[in-house]
Amino acid sequence: MSQQFIHTFLSVDCVVLGFDNEQLNALLVKRDVSVEEAGSLKLPGSLIYDQEDVDDAASRVLFELTGIKKMPLRQFRCFASPNRASRAEDRKWLNQAYQPNINRLITVAYIALCKIDRKHHNISKYSSEWCPLKKIPQMPFDHNEILLASLGEIQKWVEMEPSIIFDLLPQKFTISQLHRLYESIYAKKIDIRNFHKKVAAMPQVVALEEREVGVAHRAARFYKFDKKGYSKLKNNL
Amino acid sequence: MSQQFIHTFLSVDCVVLGFDNEQLNALLVKRDVSVEEAGSLKLPGSLIYDQEDVDDAASRVLFELTGIKKMPLRQFRCFASPNRASRAEDRKWLNQAYQPNINRLITVAYIALCKIDRKHHNISKYSSEWCPLKKIPQMPFDHNEILLASLGEIQKWVEMEPSIIFDLLPQKFTISQLHRLYESIYAKKIDIRNFHKKVAAMPQVVALEEREVGVAHRAARFYKFDKKGYSKLKNNL
DNA sequence: CCAAAAGTGTTAATAGTACACCCATGC
DNA sequence: GCATGGGTGTACTATTAACACTTTTGG
């Protein structure tokens, strides 16, 4: 009776998104062993420890693989198809990277938003790199599926908690950066005049005196996200 | 090295909500062994099988414990605190119900919406019963926490996919039933006249000729949810 | 002076909110 | 005839969507 129940390893995988003023990028790690068949780039992820909550594991793994700390991480789904780790090359890699005879692997997927200029040290045996969403290669396991699913989640997340979008932008940003970011996330055109109006109505976005320099057109004004103003706003609801 | 990674059982737990024209109820199961310390009512849930996806496991477990089939089930979070199954009475029950030495248990939580008049057979060694949300007892593991978390999810779910709310109502329902249901889910008063207007603007809610009989006041009109009209509407977007 | 992106207002349509009285029925 | 819940309309406000030209700057 008892062996019919699953007894398994559990992993976390993180979809870390960054914005390069043009498009959304995902942070992928390069595996040191060459498993060409399934591609060597994958989502940052690893097995969780024995006495560890999954949420803690996600933070830890992200730090270990990319050097990134204190990222807002959001759990969004458990991927548990019985076949998700059954391709020969994936099993081979699991055996090399962890231990033999991992028969099945269930993963809990997370999303995180990251400033793309943030340094991601290459701490471990992995190196990490930003990859534009349009150029995502074939990845091992169901990582392509996980990434795809995460894109729907981020829209919902931003709608629920609009302030997180500023985690994708540098400290100082222009309205058009913010505009392009909104257009990327919602994957649609947003009228620029209505957008200015909308931003003007956000007390947490404050204009700075500083402007762009050295651009071959009218210099754009910089804005910053005012966390304090934002929490005040929230508390007054 | 390898023993630091978790190697664990995995369960699913389902929060099944029903509406009795007054308030939301959760479907709980009664355990056959008496574990009084932690209460004998719990969320329907069980371990998943070796070759089973978690989503499939949720449907199966719900059927096995309550007799309910083909419920829209929505995964909403993985609960994995290292201590969630470490209370002595919970471990004792796990040992009795499944097998000895389950050291830790990670669960994937689901929400489902159910017509409360739907018969839930008492198929297994469990019997199931509806329990008003205001009278939920102390439950084992972190089931109280899971139930609480699910209530936030259902609001979001209904906003995203309003048609699911009709899964909580009988085939024929009155506007005030629907009204009370909205008020329960959003936990706030909704103006009845504006509500009538809102319902009138929903092409998928169609008025029937039939009315209530034998009530000590003006008889209310019945309405039904027109699935076809609804999908047509969605496809035209 | 030209290319390139920044910045700026008005109007119309839609959705949401507030609010109070008469109607039908059983007892 | 009275208690109980069913059903109805209007006016105000807020939000969203559509739409085009002038400004600044570097080259």
Side-chain angles (χ1 to χ4, degrees):
Chain A
M1 162 94 178
S2 74
Q3 54 267 56
Q4 75 181 310
F5 294 125
I6 195 173
H7 194 233
T8 184
F9 292 96
L10 198 72
S11 64
V12 290
D13 283 299
C14 305
V15 177
V16 182
L17 296 176
F19 183 67
D20 63 6
N21 285 329
E22 281 272 332
Q23 55 190 320
L24 287 171
N25 288 249
L27 188 60
L28 304 181
V29 296
K30 189 171 266 170
R31 300 192 282 189
D32 58 345
V33 291
S34 66
V35 187
E36 293 308 334
E37 303 90 336
S40 62
L41 285 170
K42 65 185 280 286
L43 294 177
S46 184
L47 298 188
I48 82 166
Y49 291 143
D50 199 28
Q51 286 302 315
E52 191 176 40
D53 196 338
V54 272
D55 294 357
D56 301 331
S59 301
R60 173 184 60 79
V61 165
L62 190 58
F63 174 68
E64 288 178 1
L65 297 190
T66 69
I68 289 174
K69 264 187 200 176
K70 295 194 184 151
M71 203 63 346
L73 270 161
R74 183 183 173 79
Q75 188 191 120
F76 78 95
R77 213 174 102 196
C78 170
F79 288 80
S81 158
N83 303 318
R84 63 179 294 279
S86 62
R87 271 188 304 211
E89 59 266 31
D90 291 338
R91 297 191 60 161
K92 186 174 148 207
W93 179 77
L94 281 175
N95 288 347
Q96 282 182 254
Y98 298 107
Q99 68 172 65
N101 301 320
I102 292 187
N103 57 333
R104 190 176 159 192
L105 186 54
I106 285 178
T107 203
V108 181
Y110 285 79
I111 319 179
L113 303 182
C114 180
K115 299 188 199 309
I116 207 165
D117 54 5
R118 197 159 162 172
K119 47 251 157 241
H120 43 284
H121 323 291
N122 296 327
I123 280 188
S124 65
K125 56 185 174 181
Y126 296 87
S127 63
S128 46
E129 59 184 68
W130 289 106
C131 179
L133 290 189
K134 275 146 201 158
K135 295 179 185 167
I136 299 286
Q138 176 72 24
M139 295 186 287
F141 308 110
D142 50 2
H143 284 191
N144 291 84
E145 187 190 344
I146 294 174
L147 181 54
L148 194 65
S150 75
L151 298 182
E153 290 302 314
I154 182 181
Q155 285 183 19
K156 290 182 213 153
W157 193 11
V158 170
E159 256 164 72
M160 232 155 42
E161 192 57 55
S163 74
I164 55 155
I165 208 169
F166 299 101
D167 290 330
L168 285 167
L169 291 171
Q171 293 274 312
K172 293 172 193 170
F173 52 87
T174 64
I175 297 285
S176 35
Q177 279 179 294
L178 186 57
H179 182 234
R180 279 192 296 270
L181 176 52
Y182 265 93
E183 289 194 334
S184 301
I185 289 180
Y186 289 101
K188 66 171 185 188
K189 290 276 163 232
I190 297 169
D191 180 90
I192 185 64
R193 278 175 294 185
N194 292 334
F195 189 75
H196 269 278
K197 216 185 314 171
K198 184 174 165 171
V199 173
M202 297 178 178
Q204 71 275 29
V205 178
V206 305
L208 303 174
E209 285 314 307
E210 203 177 341
R211 285 163 191 279
E212 285 180 321
V213 286
V215 287
H217 54 76
R218 182 171 172 177
R221 188 162 202 170
F222 281 116
Y223 289 75
K224 67 167 184 179
F225 173 65
D226 178 20
K227 221 169 185 172
K228 276 184 215 154
Y230 180 68
S231 2
K232 229 184 273 172
L233 182 71
K234 274 187 74 178
N235 292 335
N236 288 342
L237 291 181
Chain B
M1 162 96 175
S2 74
Q3 54 268 56
Q4 74 180 313
F5 294 126
I6 196 171
H7 194 234
T8 185
F9 292 96
L10 198 73
S11 65
V12 290
D13 283 299
C14 305
V15 177
V16 183
L17 296 176
F19 183 67
D20 63 6
N21 285 331
E22 281 270 332
Q23 55 191 319
L24 287 171
N25 288 249
L27 188 60
L28 304 181
V29 295
K30 190 172 266 170
R31 299 190 283 188
D32 58 344
V33 291
S34 66
V35 187
E36 294 308 333
E37 304 90 335
S40 61
L41 285 170
K42 64 184 281 287
L43 293 178
S46 185
L47 298 188
I48 81 165
Y49 291 144
D50 200 30
Q51 285 303 315
E52 193 175 39
D53 196 339
V54 273
D55 294 357
D56 301 332
S59 301
R60 171 183 62 78
V61 165
L62 190 58
F63 174 69
E64 287 179 2
L65 297 189
T66 69
I68 289 174
K69 265 187 202 176
K70 294 193 185 155
M71 201 66 345
L73 270 161
R74 181 184 174 79
Q75 189 191 120
F76 78 95
R77 214 174 102 194
C78 170
F79 288 80
S81 158
N83 302 317
R84 63 178 295 277
S86 61
R87 270 189 305 212
E89 58 265 32
D90 292 337
R91 298 192 58 163
K92 187 174 149 204
W93 178 78
L94 281 174
N95 288 346
Q96 282 183 256
Y98 298 107
Q99 69 171 62
N101 302 322
I102 292 187
N103 57 333
R104 192 177 159 190
L105 187 53
I106 284 178
T107 203
V108 180
Y110 285 79
I111 318 179
L113 303 182
C114 180
K115 297 187 199 310
I116 207 163
D117 54 5
R118 195 158 164 175
K119 46 254 157 239
H120 44 281
H121 323 291
N122 297 328
I123 281 187
S124 63
K125 57 185 175 179
Y126 295 87
S127 62
S128 46
E129 59 185 67
W130 288 106
C131 179
L133 290 189
K134 275 145 201 160
K135 294 178 184 166
I136 300 288
Q138 176 72 23
M139 294 186 289
F141 308 108
D142 50 1
H143 284 192
N144 290 84
E145 187 190 344
I146 294 175
L147 181 52
L148 193 66
S150 75
L151 298 181
E153 291 301 314
I154 181 182
Q155 286 184 19
K156 289 180 215 156
W157 192 10
V158 170
E159 257 164 73
M160 233 155 42
E161 191 57 58
S163 73
I164 56 155
I165 207 168
F166 299 101
D167 290 329
L168 285 166
L169 291 170
Q171 293 274 313
K172 293 172 193 170
F173 53 87
T174 65
I175 297 285
S176 34
Q177 281 179 293
L178 186 57
H179 183 234
R180 278 192 296 271
L181 176 52
Y182 266 92
E183 290 195 332
S184 301
I185 289 180
Y186 289 100
K188 66 171 185 188
K189 291 277 163 229
I190 297 169
D191 179 89
I192 184 65
R193 279 175 294 183
N194 293 334
F195 189 75
H196 270 276
K197 214 188 313 173
K198 183 174 165 169
V199 173
M202 297 178 179
Q204 71 275 28
V205 178
V206 305
L208 303 174
E209 285 313 309
E210 203 178 340
R211 284 161 191 279
E212 286 180 319
V213 287
V215 287
H217 52 76
R218 180 170 172 178
R221 188 163 203 170
F222 282 117
Y223 289 75
K224 69 168 183 180
F225 173 65
D226 178 19
K227 222 169 184 171
K228 276 184 218 153
Y230 180 67
S231 5
K232 228 184 272 172
L233 181 72
K234 274 187 74 178
N235 292 335
N236 288 342
L237 291 182

Short mmCIF file of all heavy atoms in Angstrom, two decimals, chain B residues 6 74 145 156:
data_model
loop_
_atom_site.label_atom_id
_atom_site.label_comp_id
_atom_site.label_asym_id
_atom_site.label_seq_id
_atom_site.Cartn_x
_atom_site.Cartn_y
_atom_site.Cartn_z
N ILE B 6 15.33 17.36 0.75
CA ILE B 6 14.10 16.76 1.23
C ILE B 6 13.70 15.62 0.31
O ILE B 6 13.89 15.67 -0.90
CB ILE B 6 12.98 17.82 1.28
CG1 ILE B 6 11.85 17.30 2.14
CG2 ILE B 6 12.49 18.18 -0.10
CD1 ILE B 6 10.83 18.37 2.41
N ARG B 74 -9.14 24.60 -8.41
CA ARG B 74 -8.10 25.58 -8.71
C ARG B 74 -6.98 25.49 -7.70
O ARG B 74 -7.18 25.68 -6.50
CB ARG B 74 -8.72 26.96 -8.68
CG ARG B 74 -7.78 28.06 -9.01
CD ARG B 74 -8.48 29.38 -8.85
NE ARG B 74 -7.56 30.46 -9.03
CZ ARG B 74 -7.13 30.88 -10.22
NH1 ARG B 74 -7.60 30.30 -11.31
NH2 ARG B 74 -6.28 31.85 -10.33
N GLU B 145 -5.29 27.60 8.57
CA GLU B 145 -4.56 28.60 7.80
C GLU B 145 -4.87 28.47 6.30
O GLU B 145 -5.05 29.46 5.59
CB GLU B 145 -3.06 28.42 8.05
CG GLU B 145 -2.21 29.51 7.45
CD GLU B 145 -0.71 29.16 7.51
OE1 GLU B 145 -0.33 28.25 8.27
OE2 GLU B 145 0.07 29.80 6.77
N LYS B 156 -10.48 36.78 -5.81
CA LYS B 156 -9.70 37.03 -7.03
C LYS B 156 -10.20 36.15 -8.17
O LYS B 156 -10.27 36.56 -9.32
CB LYS B 156 -8.23 36.72 -6.78
CG LYS B 156 -7.55 37.73 -5.89
CD LYS B 156 -6.08 37.34 -5.70
CE LYS B 156 -5.61 37.69 -4.31
NZ LYS B 156 -4.45 36.87 -3.90
#
